[in-house]
Amino acid sequence: MEAEHIDTARTPSRAYAPLAGVADEMVDTQGEVRPVWRHFLKALDRMDETDLAGRFARADRYLRDAGVFYRAYGKEAGTDRAWPLSHIPVLIDEAEWENLSRGLVQRAELLEAVVADIYGKNELVANGLLPPALVASNSEFLRPLVGVQPAGRHFLHFVSFEIGRGPDGNWWVLSDRTQAPSGAGFALENRVATTRAFSDVYAETHAHRLAGFFGAFRSTLQAGKAAEDRIAVLTPGLANETYFEHAYIARYLGFMLLEGEDLTVVGGKVMVRTVAGLKPVGVLWRRLDAAFADPLELDQNSHIGTPGMVEALRAGSVTFVNALGAGIVETRAFLAFLPNICRQLLGEDQRLPSVATWWCGQKSEREHVAANIERMVIGPAYSTRPFFDDNEQSVLGASLRDTAKQSIADWLASDGAKLVGQEAVTLSTTPAFVDGRLVPRPMSLRVFAARTRDGWQIMPGGFARIGAGDNVSAIAMREGGSAADVWIVSRKPVERTSLLPAEEVFTRNMPGSLPSRAADNLFWLGRYIERAEGALRILRAWHGRYAEYADPEQPLLKDVSTYLDALDIDTSEAVPTSLIRNIDSAVFSASNIRDRFSPDGWLALNDLSKTARRFHVSVQPGDDATRAMTVLLRKLAGFAGLVHENMYRFTGWRFLSIGRYLERGLHMTRLLGHMSGEDAPDGALDMLLEIGDSVMTHRRRYNVATARLTVTDLLALDALNPRSILYQLNEIKNEVEQLPNAYANGQMSPFYREAMRLHAGLAVMTPETMTDAVYGRFEAELEKLSDILAQTYLS
């Protein structure tokens, strides 16, 4: 680590000497190191470059292994990017944080009162405290919700605030997040990753834990629902930029992760479609914008909502976190009116002020902004983002030429109602480790508040957004910014809280809690994985023989190529594109159920995908391809082993297993139908045994050379061979027996009945009766079995 020694009382450690008097978060206005930083910096000073690099690598490896990502939009739309951790945490003294927390609790109460008035009595507009246009013309104002009192009588349950500190030490609120605040899950992951890097320092530091905050919020939500109701995180889906966080929070708190298509409204009650039928949902922690929640009464173009949600709200049968329409108070122009509203509604001044804001729909405010353009940022009045997240639409007055400044007054006069002026702020800086040394970078904090049974509770931390350079606009992650953990440090030991219950009181959820969409993704994950394995085994056998014959026109090779062509597998490619597609489809199915999928399984699946793509462009046909297929098979077996050994035998496991058994049965049925007939080319039976991983078993079980009847008996009818068709049907039958509603009113479900019929039909067959026509019939019936499963459980 590069640092120079400065022997001064103000900089007792050489590690941060370059920051003295510069990093505002680390030193006070007199240049003294803040006490809260001293222990951390002394510890940092004892670490050399190798030690620091190893620590940072541990943190990065954790984030990579956990699959933490965010989705960037813009020039690289939809690109998944690794979470950009700034490894040095931000340290704040407990006493200062308590003062901040009091201001944020007051602000949460103020925002609750404003939302309640807008959708209730509307006295703020009537009394001139809010301009009518800021409500009536606001896209976040949802007219169908006017007069609808939320269940529990609260509009806001979970909010966040973007706050910043100036170089003078004073804090401001830069923006409020009440629509669907994001970042709480990332704050948890920041904490885990940062403590991996500084586990020894963290253990010695009295930093407040985060689990208590989430535990109190979870308990409050559970207490506010009926016993039979479920709590769910409502996500827009995989394409959303913070989908990872939705899945992480759902898994962390033990909630269901649902999309709009998982839900339906029946008789004014929100129900989730599960494999056991419709089940009631009482609380929805929504992570999609309110207008998209109900295409029937809100945005008719929404494809991610559920028709009838507003009806359910009117009936008081569901609690939304936060209430639909609550996003209106995120509007940037509202910041100009909150000080006066606070005095009127709460009878006191704001303890934590907003960044100075002027709505330009009023003459005196327009004139003030125009006269002070040098220190103003002008931007959209209805924007819900802070100015540094809105660079494309915001104008920094100091950057304008003189000719442009002269026309500002005309611009404000014509479009003033759509604009606000905000004081251009200089954010305080915090240490960041860049190119081997600590450097100061501008910082804002995202802080979270949750409504609990004891009132609003502020998360003791949150996460900091760190700029990529000196410019405040570089804080946004799409501009290269990063995120840092925030430690709230006490001078005495803190409680080590956990989400584990203090007493051994628990309830086992019934298997029917599995949403139909999750079951569908698990079923197809199993099918795609097995489909990829089947293709790999055929290709390995084909390339092994190609290496021997060096002639693709050799009868056996040509015959198998024809078979593979029918399955859209091109043998001219060493690692075919269709194989990549199958693996990608498996990854996509798994990504839709991240809340139910282990991190180890996810890592193994992604490693398989990356390896297959690398081989696709680098491997040549023949021996090279044979070795590549073996590597891919081993990686796939590793994934399958992780799932088999570690996945809880819940309903989801059964759907994944049925998908694998069904696809393996289809694979072997097609192969036997094509390669075991009387006209099969020489070597086909031996190749069948190799593909079926049964060469050794055949030698042990039959004292004759490879023959059609012995191969048929082993690969089609042997119930002990895990590659045989009968084995797959037997396992499907066993799994179906454990599914919800396998018996309904004393009768088998359609899927159970069909599985039993297929199993019995094959079990009475003999090798002599297994003809091409029989294989063709069983193939069609296995495909039909998949359709019946979908009709029974997934519709």
Side-chain angles (χ1 to χ4, degrees):
M1 179 174 57
E2 179 182 324
E4 58 186 85
H5 180 70
I6 299 179
D7 188 14
T8 169
R10 290 186 175 185
T11 54
S13 168
R14 62 185 175 83
Y16 56 95
L19 283 172
V22 178
D24 312 308
E25 289 301 316
M26 200 186 70
V27 297
D28 59 24
T29 53
Q30 283 75 45
E32 299 283 354
V33 176
R34 298 179 192 272
V36 71
W37 278 95
R38 289 174 184 167
H39 174 73
F40 182 85
L41 291 171
K42 286 179 181 178
L44 201 65
D45 194 41
R46 294 192 294 268
M47 304 171 193
D48 59 24
E49 291 184 13
T50 302
D51 186 12
L52 276 175
R55 289 169 177 269
F56 295 165
R58 284 200 298 273
D60 295 338
R61 184 165 55 249
Y62 166 76
L63 292 171
R64 185 170 59 252
D65 290 350
V68 184
F69 72 92
Y70 75 103
R71 183 162 285 111
Y73 296 109
K75 293 181 181 178
E76 301 179 45
T79 301
D80 290 351
R81 296 183 181 178
W83 184 247
L85 179 69
S86 181
H87 301 92
I88 305 298
V90 175
L91 277 60
I92 299 177
D93 185 80
E94 178 185 53
E96 182 178 16
W97 190 257
E98 288 175 353
N99 187 51
L100 270 175
S101 296
R102 286 190 289 270
L104 294 175
V105 166
Q106 181 207 49
R107 194 175 186 91
E109 293 288 6
L110 174 61
L111 296 177
E112 168 74 26
V114 173
V115 177
D117 179 82
I118 288 172
Y119 290 99
K121 296 180 180 180
N122 200 27
E123 292 178 346
L124 292 176
V125 171
N127 295 334
L129 296 173
L130 264 181
L134 286 185
V135 176
S137 300
N138 200 316
S139 61
E140 297 297 334
F141 177 58
L142 305 181
R143 294 180 185 276
L145 275 302
V146 172
V148 177
Q149 187 72 25
R153 312 191 70 80
H154 293 299
F155 288 84
L156 300 179
H157 304 266
F158 194 90
V159 299
S160 72
F161 310 93
E162 199 78 28
I163 66 175
R165 187 190 347 224
D168 60 358
N170 293 321
W171 290 91
W172 314 294
V173 174
L174 304 174
S175 69
D176 304 294
R177 315 303 293 173
T178 57
Q179 174 73 268
S182 64
F186 290 124
L188 282 168
E189 289 288 36
N190 283 345
R191 174 60 55 89
V192 176
T194 303
T195 53
R196 292 289 176 93
F198 298 109
S199 56
D200 50 346
V201 183
Y202 184 72
E204 298 167 352
T205 304
H206 303 317
H208 285 269
R209 272 49 176 177
L210 304 181
F213 171 82
F214 288 97
F217 183 53
R218 181 177 67 178
S219 298
T220 302
L221 295 184
Q222 290 171 334
K225 70 175 184 65
E228 69 277 7
D229 286 347
R230 286 147 181 80
I231 303 175
V233 175
L234 181 60
T235 175
L238 184 62
N240 187 263
E241 61 183 339
T242 56
Y243 174 77
F244 167 83
E245 185 198 14
H246 307 169
Y248 179 84
I249 284 288
R251 185 168 60 238
Y252 181 70
L253 296 179
F255 298 162
M256 302 177 79
L257 181 67
L258 303 178
E259 296 182 24
E261 65 181 271
D262 294 324
L263 300 169
T264 186
V265 178
V266 180
K269 181 74 177 176
V270 178
M271 312 291 282
V272 55
R273 297 182 176 92
T274 78
V275 296
L278 299 178
K279 302 294 179 183
V281 176
V283 179
L284 284 171
W285 186 355
R286 67 177 177 87
R287 300 304 301 271
L288 76 168
D289 288 352
F292 296 137
D294 186 348
L296 189 64
E297 296 199 52
L298 300 176
D299 187 342
Q300 63 182 0
N301 296 314
S302 171
H303 297 287
I304 57 176
T306 306
M309 280 295 192
V310 174
E311 173 194 348
L313 283 172
R314 293 194 186 103
S317 65
V318 65
T319 296
F320 267 96
V321 178
N322 290 319
L324 300 186
I328 190 170
V329 290
E330 290 188 357
T331 306
R332 193 182 295 178
F334 272 50
L335 297 176
F337 302 93
L338 286 182
N340 196 24
I341 292 174
C342 185
R343 286 188 288 270
Q344 293 294 323
L345 294 185
L346 304 185
E348 56 189 10
D349 289 328
Q350 285 185 286
R351 293 175 179 171
L352 191 61
S354 310
V355 61
T357 305
W358 294 267
W359 178 54
C360 297
Q362 298 164 305
K363 185 174 184 295
S364 60
E365 280 73 9
R366 284 197 300 272
E367 292 174 348
H368 176 83
V369 171
N372 296 274
I373 190 61
E374 286 283 349
R375 56 187 183 89
M376 291 287 173
V377 177
I378 300 176
Y382 296 100
S383 174
T384 59
R385 296 188 291 178
F387 66 91
F388 50 76
D389 271 345
D390 206 14
N391 293 328
E392 294 181 0
Q393 299 186 66
S394 296
V395 175
L396 182 63
S399 67
L400 296 174
R401 296 179 179 178
D402 291 339
T403 53
K405 292 175 184 177
Q406 294 170 4
S407 63
I408 286 292
D410 295 334
W411 179 34
L412 295 179
S414 61
D415 294 329
K418 300 177 182 178
L419 299 169
V420 293
Q422 289 186 303
E423 192 170 275
V425 298
T426 300
L427 295 176
S428 66
T429 56
T430 192
F433 200 81
V434 180
D435 296 330
R437 63 176 297 171
L438 291 174
V439 296
R441 288 287 185 259
M443 171 207 75
S444 72
L445 294 186
R446 185 168 298 181
V447 187
F448 302 89
R451 185 184 295 280
T452 71
R453 285 175 285 189
D454 299 322
W456 285 101
Q457 183 171 329
I458 306 300
M459 181 194 291
F463 76 82
R465 296 207 284 174
I466 311 297
D470 296 334
N471 194 332
V472 172
S473 64
I475 282 180
M477 289 185 185
R478 63 178 176 275
E479 302 295 335
S482 56
D485 191 19
V486 179
W487 295 3
I488 307 305
V489 181
S490 174
R491 298 184 182 181
K492 57 184 182 296
V494 298
E495 183 180 1
R496 295 176 178 262
T497 54
S498 169
L499 283 189
L500 296 175
E503 300 178 2
E504 292 187 4
V505 178
F506 62 89
T507 301
R508 282 185 175 174
N509 290 324
M510 296 301 291
S513 295
L514 180 70
S516 296
R517 181 182 55 84
D520 190 27
N521 278 291
L522 285 162
F523 173 70
W524 279 101
L525 172 61
R527 290 200 65 174
Y528 285 128
I529 284 297
E530 191 59 40
R531 191 173 294 178
E533 180 178 341
L536 284 169
R537 291 187 177 280
I538 299 174
L539 287 166
R540 183 172 67 171
W542 190 93
H543 282 286
R545 283 154 181 78
Y546 177 76
E548 178 183 350
Y549 299 124
D551 179 13
E553 296 300 315
Q554 194 269 344
L556 178 59
L557 292 179
K558 187 173 182 180
D559 181 73
V560 175
S561 291
T562 301
Y563 173 81
L564 291 173
D565 284 342
L567 299 179
D568 193 29
I569 299 175
D570 186 359
T571 53
S572 67
E573 296 180 296
V575 180
T577 303
S578 58
L579 175 65
I580 305 294
R581 285 201 300 267
N582 280 328
I583 296 174
D584 285 348
S585 294
V587 172
F588 179 78
S589 294
S591 66
N592 277 290
I593 46 172
R594 284 295 299 274
D595 60 315
R596 298 173 181 271
F597 210 67
S598 76
D600 285 339
W602 177 253
L603 278 174
L605 191 55
N606 274 280
D607 181 50
L608 173 68
S609 176
K610 291 175 182 176
T611 305
R613 289 184 178 279
R614 187 173 72 250
F615 286 168
H616 177 65
V617 297
S618 63
V619 168
Q620 299 300 314
D623 281 335
D624 197 21
T626 303
R627 287 191 294 270
M629 298 304 158
T630 299
V631 171
L632 291 174
L633 278 169
R634 287 173 181 169
K635 287 181 177 290
L636 198 150
F639 167 77
L642 280 169
V643 171
H644 186 273
E645 294 298 323
N646 299 331
M647 191 171 179
Y648 188 77
R649 267 47 172 179
F650 205 43
T651 309
W653 153 265
R654 305 193 187 285
F655 279 94
L656 185 145
S657 298
I658 289 171
R660 292 204 69 183
Y661 296 137
L662 183 60
E663 190 65 35
R664 184 174 290 185
L666 273 168
H667 166 70
M668 192 54 67
T669 300
R670 292 191 188 109
L671 268 177
L672 283 166
H674 182 82
M675 298 180 67
S676 67
E678 298 289 347
D679 57 347
D682 290 343
L685 295 177
D686 289 320
M687 191 172 184
L688 264 174
L689 289 175
E690 181 183 333
I691 294 170
D693 201 15
S694 300
V695 174
M696 297 295 293
T697 305
H698 186 274
R699 290 174 184 169
R700 288 196 304 269
R701 293 211 60 182
Y702 306 98
N703 57 359
V704 296
T706 305
R708 188 181 72 84
L709 293 182
T710 59
V711 172
T712 300
D713 182 57
L714 183 60
L715 295 182
L717 304 177
D718 191 333
L720 299 179
N721 182 8
R723 293 283 163 183
S724 75
I725 305 170
L726 184 60
Y727 182 94
Q728 315 313 315
L729 289 173
N730 189 56
E731 292 301 307
I732 290 174
K733 177 177 69 71
N734 292 338
E735 296 297 348
V736 174
E737 290 173 351
Q738 306 301 318
L739 291 181
N741 300 327
Y743 283 96
N745 300 319
Q747 293 185 332
M748 292 181 180
S749 70
F751 182 59
Y752 191 11
R753 185 182 301 113
E754 185 65 15
M756 288 285 286
R757 188 185 68 78
L758 271 179
H759 176 266
L762 187 63
V764 299
M765 301 292 284
T766 64
E768 293 82 2
T769 58
M770 297 299 293
T771 64
D772 293 351
V774 171
Y775 286 123
R777 175 167 58 84
F778 268 101
E779 180 184 345
E781 290 177 337
L782 282 169
E783 292 284 14
K784 180 183 176 184
L785 187 63
S786 177
D787 295 337
I788 295 174
L789 179 141
Q791 294 164 9
T792 305
Y793 292 105
L794 308 182
S795 298

